[in-house]
Amino acid sequence: MSNYSIVEYLGGSNESKCGYCKQTGNYNSHGFWAHTMNVDDYQNLIDRNWRRSGQYCYVPNNKNTCCPMYTIKCDAMNFKLSRSHKKILKKVNRFLRDGVKEKNRTNNQDIQSGISEEPTPSKKQTSLDVKELSLISKNKESEETIKARTSSEMSIDDGTSHSSEKTPSTKSDVAQNSLRPTKKKFIRLERKIAKLAAKGLTLADVKRRNKSKQKTLEDFLGEEPTNGKHKLQVKLVRSTEGATDSILELFQSYQKKVHNDPPEKNSRRSYERFLVNSPLQLRKDGNSPPEGFGSFHYQYYIDGELIAVGVIDILPSCVSSVYFYYNPDYSFLSLGTYASLREIALVRQLSKSCPQLKYYYLGFYIPTCPKMRYKSNVKPSYLLCPEVFTWHLLDENLSKEIDSVKYLKINKTEKDKDAASKDDLLYVMILADRSAIKYKDYKKVSSINWLKKLMKSKRKSVDDSEEVMEYASKVGKNLSQSMLLFRC
């Protein structure tokens, strides 16, 4: 039975306090304890909106919970770097090269950690920004119009107030004015146009050329200096290697300074139950990457000092992010975002030897939790319908629709194709007296040890069909017939 998943169903629970909105008595979920689990079964579970915390696996009851949760995944093979992503990658490379610490903006969410770590824009610009070119192009302003406006603005700039200009009276006016290029930008643009014209080029030519030369995620990571002020090293190790004293100290420091946890809440035992112990069986075969499938820690070192750890599961179709913690002294590097980009790059690396592994799972997307909003900025991303279990592109329309209601059944036209019926109850696989049998055979036994053990147990009734049916309905027909439900 070494390859079987063995689980012990624990039923539903109402937590005393929601970890996201902090309300009391409104969070609702069902779960089981996974004694052991193969990676194929867990891949199928997270594709049915389940997640694990250590060996405890749970699925939220989105219709009845305060904070509905939707599994979100990114198509790593088609991942597009945003402007903020590029800034963070450049910032890390600058720190490694020069050793300069850059201050962060406040009130911005850092990926995975919820910490304000967005980079401060450079105060000095030495060349024309591509976004400025795009803005001019969108406004459909000709080169002659730009030149004329620039000359006009320069001629009236005498240090006096412009009484003819209207002061923005609304937020939309302010936003619109903030998008208009400044006089200095027009001057730079005028010079750029002149240089391009001398070469027989236009703004459109530049835009096309820049688009074709856009750097990839791997290009930025490949620019990390080898002989700079600092040296970054990244290691992928089994999760069982993640319980040393130095790692525990890093975790405790993060929990205390970032989440204000008291020391007694983060003992070695609780840390190991949460982030070291995993039910996933390590699997290495011809269909797996060289590292194998299972639970791992992605460790980050600067000059030999451990500064961050990403807890991940490598599964047949994805890398699934479990948790991330870091040394708060390095928060200026936006390590949460940086680690997410590293994990996306890991997916792309693993896919070379394992083509079906091409997604990055970011856990749950929780619309009611502001700290989880950053996940929608990792594009392209897809949300799982928690009832039909189909994937849907998280675009502006879906985002608005989810925000308009407390809970959304994303797929309104289909039904769950893997739903377990009452007839399927008979074929749920059971582990009883160290034997794997179907539930219908398990129920037929009316003598010897099995029923005697059940009668002596804490169960109120020998008839557990209602509980087994609830379990099957939560995991689906296929998983109920592949995993072993522990009974006695």
Side-chain angles (χ1 to χ4, degrees), residues 177-349:
N177 287 343
S178 65
L179 292 175
R180 292 174 182 152
T182 63
K183 182 177 63 178
K184 291 183 179 179
K185 291 182 179 180
F186 277 121
I187 294 174
R188 290 199 304 271
L189 183 57
E190 184 181 33
R191 292 171 181 170
K192 185 70 175 180
I193 291 171
K195 291 181 180 179
L196 290 174
K199 297 178 182 180
L201 298 174
T202 65
L203 295 179
D205 295 328
V206 175
K207 189 175 181 181
R208 283 193 296 269
R209 183 183 64 186
N210 289 340
K211 187 174 182 180
S212 65
K213 292 184 178 181
Q214 286 182 352
K215 288 184 179 180
T216 65
L217 173 57
E218 288 75 13
D219 290 335
F220 281 102
L221 295 176
E223 292 177 350
E224 290 179 352
T226 55
N227 298 314
K229 292 285 186 179
H230 301 288
K231 182 179 180 180
L232 173 68
Q233 186 180 13
V234 182
K235 295 181 181 179
L236 183 66
V237 302
R238 292 286 310 280
S239 63
T240 51
E241 299 178 33
T244 65
D245 290 340
S246 60
I247 293 175
L248 177 61
E249 290 175 6
L250 175 64
F251 173 74
Q252 291 173 332
S253 174
Y254 170 80
Q255 293 296 124
K256 179 181 179 180
K257 294 181 180 180
V258 176
H259 296 294
N260 298 317
D261 283 354
E264 60 272 15
K265 187 177 179 181
N266 297 301
S267 64
R268 177 180 289 274
R269 183 181 179 185
S270 64
Y271 165 72
E272 291 180 354
R273 284 171 61 95
F274 179 32
L275 297 175
V276 177
N277 299 345
S278 169
L280 300 187
Q281 304 159 7
L282 178 66
R283 193 184 97 194
K284 287 186 178 182
D285 55 31
N287 296 319
S288 72
E291 297 80 358
F293 296 127
S295 297
F296 297 84
H297 283 188
Y298 213 17
Q299 300 175 340
Y300 300 80
Y301 294 83
I302 287 185
D303 302 332
E305 176 192 357
L306 180 68
I307 65 162
V309 177
V311 182
I312 60 175
D313 293 329
I314 299 180
L315 303 173
S317 298
C318 72
V319 168
S320 176
S321 175
V322 178
Y323 199 70
F324 179 76
Y325 56 97
Y326 59 88
N327 184 337
D329 292 341
Y330 287 87
S331 61
F332 64 91
L333 290 178
S334 304
L335 287 174
T337 302
Y338 181 76
S340 288
L341 297 174
R342 275 278 183 178
E343 290 171 6
I344 291 173
L346 177 63
V347 174
R348 290 151 73 124
Q349 174 191 330

Side-chain angles (χ1 to χ4, degrees), residues 347-452:
V347 174
R348 290 151 73 124
Q349 174 191 330
L350 298 176
S351 69
K352 294 177 181 178
S353 58
C354 189
Q356 74 274 15
L357 199 166
K358 55 186 179 180
Y359 293 103
Y360 177 56
Y361 281 50
L362 294 86
F364 285 128
Y365 177 70
I366 307 174
T368 56
C369 181
K371 288 185 179 180
M372 295 293 171
R373 288 284 183 171
Y374 69 83
K375 297 182 180 182
S376 63
N377 296 325
V378 183
K379 302 178 183 297
S381 287
Y382 298 82
L383 292 188
L384 183 71
C385 176
E387 295 185 51
V388 183
F389 309 109
T390 50
W391 294 100
H392 303 266
L393 179 66
L394 180 56
D395 55 14
E396 186 177 354
N397 292 333
L398 179 55
S399 181
K400 288 181 179 179
E401 191 175 5
I402 286 180
D403 290 341
S404 66
V405 293
K406 181 180 179 181
Y407 165 69
L408 177 69
K409 179 184 177 182
I410 302 176
N411 189 337
K412 304 178 181 66
T413 60
E414 299 180 79
K415 295 182 178 180
D416 178 14
K417 296 179 181 179
D418 192 38
S421 65
K422 290 184 178 180
D423 293 335
D424 296 322
L425 172 64
L426 302 175
Y427 302 95
V428 173
M429 291 301 296
I430 302 294
L431 177 63
D433 199 24
R434 299 184 180 181
S435 298
I437 59 174
K438 295 177 181 177
Y439 186 67
K440 64 177 182 178
D441 298 323
Y442 168 76
K443 292 295 292 182
K444 287 179 181 179
V445 179
S446 57
S447 59
I448 39 184
N449 295 330
W450 290 346
L451 276 184
K452 291 179 180 179

Side-chain angles (χ1 to χ4, degrees), residues 79-89 341 377:
F79 168 70
K80 302 297 182 184
L81 284 167
S82 68
R83 190 179 181 185
S84 63
H85 292 153
K86 295 176 184 178
K87 286 184 177 180
I88 289 171
L89 290 167
L341 297 174
N377 296 325

